[in-house]
Amino acid sequence: MGSKEPMVTGAADPVRIVSRRMIKPPSESEEAVNIHLTPWDLRLITVDYIQKGILLPKPPAGGVGERLVDTLPSCFARTLGKFYPFAGRLVMEHHDGATVAVVLQCTGEGAEFIHAVAPGVGVADIVGSINIPSVIWSLFPLNHVLGADAATESLPVLSSQVTELADGVFIGMSMNHSVGDGTAFWEFFKTWSEINRGGVDLREVSTLAPVHQRFFIDSSPVPIRLPFSKLEDVVRRFERPTVQECFFTFSAANIQKLKARANRRTAKRPPPSQSPRSRPCSRTFGGRCPVLGASCRGRKHLTLCSSDAEDV
C-alpha cells in the first residue's frame, strides 16, 4: 500500500499489527462474473474508501465473546458469501482510442482481515474528548487510499481491522466507495454481527439479500470508457493539510427531543404547498434531520456500543 497507509508496528507505537490475511468466501458462493460500474460508481473512484468503525467494551472473562478475534474471521468469510463482490477486485480494461474502463471482477480473491493489539490504549483515550485522537488512524486499514488505487495497485475493495484495546475492542472497516455505498457497508456489518452472535446460516439472517446488479439506461455504453489512457490520470492528488477532527455523540433521547422541537417549529408555520420541507421529521439518516438541515459528517465515523460485547 506504499506510503498511503502508515504501518504502526514498532515496539514504541500504540498499535501493533499481529496478523494480516486475505479471507475468501465459501467456494460454493463464488460467482466469477464481471460487474460493470455505472456513472455513479465511477465518479467515486477518486475519493477515499468509506471508513467506519464500532467501539465495544471488553468482553467479560470466560464469556462467549471473550475471544472475538477467534470467531470473527470465519464469520467474516461467511458474510462474504452473501456479499461476494466485496471479495473481488477492480481491474482496468484498456480499449481503443486511448480509453480505459474499470470493472469489478468477482473472482473471490478475498477481503483483508487484520488483527491488531493496542494494550496501552483504552476506551477513554478514544471517547474522552470530542477531538479525535491521532491513534484512530491506526485503527483503520487502507488510510488515504483512493478508489482508483484498488485497480492500479490490485488492492482489496474491503478491509477490516480488529484491534484489542486495554479495556475494549475496536472494529474498523474500509470499503471502496465505487463498489458499495454506506447502506451496503452497514448491511455487511450487520450481517457479520448477526452471524457471529448466533452462528446462523446465511439463509436465516434478517438482513435482506443485497442487490449487486448494476442498471444502465438504454443509451449508455457498457462498459463505460473513460477518456484516459491510464487510470492514474483520472486521479488528482493533493497535499492533505493537518486538521483537527472531532465527533459529537447524541443519545437516542436527545435525538428525539431535537426532532420534537423541529416538528413543533414546523407546525407553527403557515401551511405551505406539499413539499418535503413540510413533512414531520420522523427519521434520521446518517446523523441528519431533514427539517433541521444540520449534518454531522466526517471522514471517520465512530459508533459507540454500550451493550455487552457478546452481542457482536
Side-chain angles (χ1 to χ4, degrees), residues 70-89:
D70 293 337
T71 60
L72 287 176
S74 61
C75 298
F76 189 72
R78 293 170 61 191
T79 307
L80 286 172
K82 190 171 185 178
F83 295 81
Y84 64 90
F86 294 170
R89 292 293 184 271

Side-chain angles (χ1 to χ4, degrees), residues 92-96 98-101 225 228-232:
M92 295 178 290
E93 292 182 347
H94 294 278
H95 294 271
D96 297 335
T99 61
V100 62
R225 301 181 183 182
F228 299 90
S229 59
K230 298 187 300 181
L231 190 60
E232 291 87 343

Side-chain angles (χ1 to χ4, degrees), residues 78 82 194-195 198-207:
R78 293 170 61 191
K82 190 171 185 178
E194 188 172 355
I195 292 174
V200 297
D201 186 87
L202 281 177
R203 294 168 294 184
E204 300 174 356
V205 296
S206 59
T207 306

Side-chain angles (χ1 to χ4, degrees), residues 178-220:
S178 61
V179 173
D181 58 10
T183 298
F185 182 102
W186 283 119
E187 290 300 310
F188 183 96
F189 228 133
K190 288 167 55 181
T191 303
W192 185 15
S193 173
E194 188 172 355
I195 292 174
N196 189 74
R197 286 199 311 268
V200 297
D201 186 87
L202 281 177
R203 294 168 294 184
E204 300 174 356
V205 296
S206 59
T207 306
L208 296 177
V211 178
H212 301 303
Q213 181 183 359
R214 265 46 172 193
F215 299 92
F216 296 82
I217 59 176
D218 294 337
S219 60
S220 175

Side-chain angles (χ1 to χ4, degrees), residues 274-308:
Q274 290 295 325
S275 67
R277 292 182 178 274
S278 64
R279 298 171 186 168
C281 176
S282 59
R283 299 185 67 183
T284 303
F285 297 94
R288 180 172 184 145
C289 175
V291 175
L292 292 174
S295 178
C296 297
R297 298 183 62 187
R299 207 182 154 283
K300 292 285 189 296
H301 180 95
L302 309 179
T303 299
L304 310 182
C305 298
S306 58
S307 58
D308 193 279

Side-chain angles (χ1 to χ4, degrees), residues 37-53:
L37 303 186
T38 67
W40 294 270
D41 300 324
L42 290 171
R43 68 185 177 89
L44 296 172
I45 64 174
T46 61
V47 303
D48 293 28
Y49 273 48
I50 301 175
Q51 293 184 299
K52 304 178 188 293

Side-chain angles (χ1 to χ4, degrees), residues 24-38:
K24 296 184 177 183
S27 57
E28 65 271 12
S29 64
E30 295 180 12
E31 299 185 25
V33 298
N34 288 345
I35 295 180
H36 297 288
L37 303 186
T38 67

Side-chain angles (χ1 to χ4, degrees), residues 55-120:
L55 180 60
L56 304 167
K58 190 172 185 178
V64 177
E66 183 176 7
R67 292 295 298 172
L68 279 174
V69 72
D70 293 337
T71 60
L72 287 176
S74 61
C75 298
F76 189 72
R78 293 170 61 191
T79 307
L80 286 172
K82 190 171 185 178
F83 295 81
Y84 64 90
F86 294 170
R89 292 293 184 271
L90 287 178
V91 298
M92 295 178 290
E93 292 182 347
H94 294 278
H95 294 271
D96 297 335
T99 61
V100 62
V102 183
V103 178
L104 176 60
Q105 288 188 345
C106 303
T107 51
E109 293 184 52
E112 188 176 42
F113 184 90
I114 301 171
H115 173 210
V117 293

